[in-house]
Amino acid sequence: MTGVTMEGTDAGGRAEIEVRGLRKSFGDTEVLRGIDLEVARGEVVCVIGPSGSGKSTLLRCVNLLEEPTAGRVFVGGTEVTDPDVDIDAVRRRIGMVFQQFNLFPHLTAEENLVLPQRRVLRRDRAKAVRVARANLERVGLAGKAGAHPAQLSGGQQQRVAIARALAMDPEVMLFDEPTSALDPELVGDVLAVMRGLARDGMTMMVVTHEMSFAREVADRVVFMDAGRVVEEGPARQVVGAPREARTRDFLLRVLDPAAAAPPGPDQDPADGTA
């Protein structure tokens, strides 16, 4: 693999994801305004914040689904933003789960896992099927291998999407609000799978609005607003006793919407700022 390698790393304490001075603009709108962030190997980092704060854009810049305007991103010590990097090789080390499931509707759950292994990893069919079945079992869907997406609930489809990402043997998992499109009663099964991955030591960066998950599972929580990191720290500190007023205001609105004061006449209801 070509590309710049991050300095000052070692096998025991390397930052699996490192973001330095990341900026991203869409036209005249600056969505990310100088983000610095690290995710250590085996760490779970949850990114929270209001809609439009740049959370999903940050995640998409990590595997170059969005091209940063400025700054540098490293994954596993390799610079993703280096013009000479083999981005396909880097992406093979990253699993990503989106809000929408993006399953092939004409394929069974098992075949949705087999196809990318065959095409990207060039696995023979027998091995791809074994890996597919093992990962469907891992997410609690061994009995649904032959079902098509339309025969599955939203939560089951999302678990198939997670199993598909795991079947590619990623070193890092990125989750972009994986439960936001689900009915409330289906959220728990997906979060249970993610808790299991955290227990297994998977490096995870999770954009989420599930505050209980962030508090209980994350090693660190990053609160973003208006394209900047406002506060970051241990999960229980940021979610339970935030230092910054903006973080406290956001959490009040999320955790106890009825108690939050309505925005003033010159404020945006989405973020409470003028």
Side-chain angles (χ1 to χ4, degrees), residues 53-211:
S53 60
K55 308 182 300 296
S56 293
T57 300
L58 168 62
L59 207 66
R60 292 172 67 87
C61 283
V62 170
N63 65 354
L64 226 62
L65 290 177
E66 295 288 354
E67 187 83 31
T69 304
R72 305 172 76 188
V73 177
F74 297 84
V75 176
T78 299
E79 184 178 357
V80 176
T81 43
D82 174 20
D84 296 324
V85 74
D86 183 349
I87 189 59
D88 290 333
V90 175
R91 284 177 179 153
R92 283 197 288 271
R93 299 158 60 187
I94 304 172
M96 186 155 185
V97 178
F98 300 89
Q99 297 178 34
Q100 302 301 323
F101 322 125
N102 300 320
L103 301 176
F104 291 111
H106 63 290
L107 298 180
T108 64
E110 181 177 293
E111 287 300 321
N112 265 282
L113 273 65
V114 168
L115 182 63
Q117 295 181 70
R118 300 274 285 146
R119 289 190 175 178
V120 178
L121 301 181
R122 304 298 181 186
R123 282 178 176 157
D124 64 74
R125 179 168 182 81
K127 181 174 182 179
V129 168
R130 287 197 302 272
V131 171
R133 291 176 180 174
N135 280 288
L136 286 172
E137 183 174 4
R138 189 176 185 181
V139 300
L141 291 174
K144 298 293 186 180
H148 286 78
Q151 299 171 302
L152 302 173
S153 70
Q156 289 171 333
Q157 291 184 60
Q158 189 61 292
R159 283 189 280 157
V160 171
I162 294 172
R164 177 180 57 189
L166 294 173
M168 306 299 285
D169 296 332
E171 299 171 14
V172 172
M173 287 286 287
L174 309 178
F175 292 87
D176 186 7
E177 299 199 23
T179 61
S180 65
L182 303 180
D183 291 334
E185 67 269 22
L186 303 177
V187 168
D189 290 340
V190 173
L191 294 181
V193 169
M194 294 171 66
R195 286 187 178 94
L197 294 179
R199 286 193 299 270
D200 291 343
M202 175 65 74
T203 305
M204 297 164 59
M205 189 171 172
V206 184
V207 170
T208 185
H209 60 272
E210 300 289 345
M211 294 302 112

